[in-house]
Amino acid sequence: MPDRRTRATGSRSTDALRVRPRRLRRTAALRDWVAETEVEPRRLVYPVFVRPGSGGPRPIASMPGIDQYTVRDLGPLGRELEGEGIRAVLLFGTSRRKFPDGREAWDRDGVIPAAVRELKRAAPGLVVTTDVCLCAYTSHGHCGVVRDGEVANDPTCELLGRVAVAHAAAGADVVAPSAMMDGQVGRIRAALDDGGHESTAVWSYSTKHASAFYGPFREAEESTPAFGDRRGYQMDPRNGREALREMALDEAEGADLLMVKPALTSLDLLARARRRVAVPLAAYQVSGEYAMVKRAAERGVFDEAAAVDELLVALRRAGADLIVTYFAREVARRSRTGR
Ligand code: PBG
């Protein structure tokens, strides 16, 4: 009795080899025609660092090609981004002065509210999202207020609510809490609604692992913790089921979008989450992932554009709807000019 499977795969002889996946890989036209995944520029989010004061864009040493901007630089930047086909930015601020409770973070005339207003004025078509955290504003560099040597959860949520309201009042479309406090999404949602900002969306960094890959960002943000680390609130990278639990909680608390980071270490989570949550799911390719690619390419290890395309396509294939990446501008430029 001939086995159908044996015949189909042709293990008897080459003549019987009927199934040949290479047929559709033969030409570029065929490959493009059947490709399953695309990294459309509309899905990319460009992170923007903003500092108080003046003096123009300033390069960040640990992140070649990325600058820290002042509010005045954001008009021209916003128009450039729009012209390049970038649809959304994620803003990160730094403080003039750091306090134990990070109070500049909810100052309505602080750097992020000013940045939001400037971008909305200059580039009204951009989706403006803001990071909601305290680490760049606290004197100790932790993501919340410290009580008895620990980051106190509920008081921090209260402050994060104020930060979110300050950003929403300035016109932010989306606020993105990244402090990893329990209940922060619910608290922020309530604060926004009480403040009349029921249309402002919440994008939760629900799955944020304690990671070595945030190193360069902490230079950009001047936010390295003065003592200890963030493992008491960020997730343990060994845990995947817990990540799904965090996402479910955030969705239940009213998150409109979710985020997973770092990206490359979370492909399994993207794939599992995509099947379970209904809201848009984003992957954040963080500063260390960016620096790793940049440095390797500088040393001739590989071609930067090819490496970036492969990494981003893997995130889309795994299930990311949106990708936050410092490569956003380069990728958008390549997709416009075909390299
Ligand atoms: C703030 C925050 C961090 C990042 C995003 N939001 C740093 C951290 O938690 O230490 C990292 C982003 C990056 O590395 O690109 N809490």
Side-chain angles (χ1 to χ4, degrees):
M1 185 83 180
D3 172 12
R4 274 184 73 221
R5 226 171 106 248
T6 312
R7 252 198 301 137
T9 55
S11 67
R12 279 189 316 161
S13 76
T14 318
D15 291 345
L17 189 56
R18 307 261 187 245
V19 179
R20 293 176 183 270
R22 285 184 54 188
R23 284 178 194 127
L24 296 183
R25 297 179 201 150
R26 201 166 46 81
T27 67
L30 282 166
R31 289 191 293 272
D32 262 356
W33 183 51
V34 298
E36 297 171 32
T37 316
E38 197 130 18
V39 181
E40 302 90 340
R42 73 177 173 88
R43 298 181 182 274
L44 304 178
V45 180
Y46 187 60
V48 176
F49 297 103
V50 194
R51 68 166 201 279
S54 54
R58 197 186 279 165
I60 298 164
S62 57
M63 302 177 70
I66 303 296
D67 290 340
Q68 215 186 35
Y69 297 89
T70 68
V71 172
R72 283 180 56 190
D73 307 324
L74 295 181
L77 176 71
R79 283 187 288 268
E80 259 174 64
L81 292 174
E82 268 193 327
E84 290 167 7
I86 301 288
R87 301 278 182 91
V89 292
L90 174 57
L91 303 182
F92 293 93
T94 55
S95 45
R96 275 182 301 267
R97 229 184 111 190
K98 295 175 188 263
F99 294 87
D101 64 358
R103 64 188 56 173
E104 259 187 34
W106 61 86
D107 180 353
R108 300 229 173 176
D109 295 316
V111 69
I112 292 299
V116 170
R117 287 189 292 266
E118 182 64 7
L119 279 171
K120 281 290 170 191
R121 187 190 59 75
L126 271 184
V127 173
V128 176
T129 76
T130 62
D131 185 78
V132 170
C133 197
L134 298 176
C135 57
Y137 303 88
T138 51
S139 38
H140 43 73
H142 276 289
C143 299
V145 281
V146 176
R147 304 262 161 90
D148 305 321
E150 273 186 37
V151 175
N153 194 83
D154 301 11
T156 298
C157 288
E158 166 65 31
L159 301 183
L160 294 172
R162 294 189 203 171
V163 179
V165 167
H167 295 180
D173 298 295
V174 180
V175 293
S178 67
M180 287 302 283
M181 296 299 121
D182 292 339
Q184 64 182 9
V185 170
R187 189 70 205 84
I188 286 171
R189 182 70 269 156
L192 288 170
D193 293 350
D194 291 349
H197 304 294
E198 57 284 323
S199 301
T200 309
V202 178
W203 183 10
S204 178
Y205 291 57
S206 40
T207 306
K208 178 172 179 179
H209 283 120
S211 171
F213 291 100
Y214 307 147
F217 173 94
R218 291 181 188 169
E219 182 200 316
E221 275 280 280
E222 301 147 20
S223 67
T224 307
F227 64 90
D229 54 37
R230 303 208 204 285
R231 283 177 227 228
Y233 41 104
Q234 297 183 348
M235 275 193 35
D236 189 321
R238 290 173 290 190
N239 295 351
R241 291 193 305 268
E242 189 194 353
L244 298 173
R245 184 169 183 241
E246 284 276 8
M247 290 189 223
L249 284 170
D250 286 354
E251 211 181 9
E253 285 174 36
D256 300 285
L257 312 97
L258 298 178
M259 176 127 70
V260 170
K261 76 191 246 187
L264 188 54
T265 55
S266 305
L267 295 171
D268 59 327
L269 301 177
L270 288 169
R272 287 157 80 187
R274 184 62 299 165
R275 275 181 256 117
R276 292 189 193 202
V277 301
V279 298
L281 187 60
Y284 190 156
Q285 184 184 56
V286 300
S287 59
E289 300 179 83
Y290 174 81
M292 186 162 70
V293 171
K294 277 280 173 193
R295 297 303 189 198
E298 272 167 24
R299 282 162 183 68
V301 174
F302 47 55
D303 175 63
E304 181 177 315
V308 169
D309 287 349
E310 195 173 326
L311 285 164
L312 297 188
V313 109
L315 299 176
R316 286 277 298 127
R317 204 180 66 229
D321 300 300
L322 300 168
I323 303 174
V324 184
T325 173
Y326 301 95
F327 289 114
R329 301 182 73 176
E330 301 164 40
V331 174
R333 187 176 317 126
R334 278 208 300 282
S335 95
R336 261 192 347 271
T337 61
R339 228 142 263 257

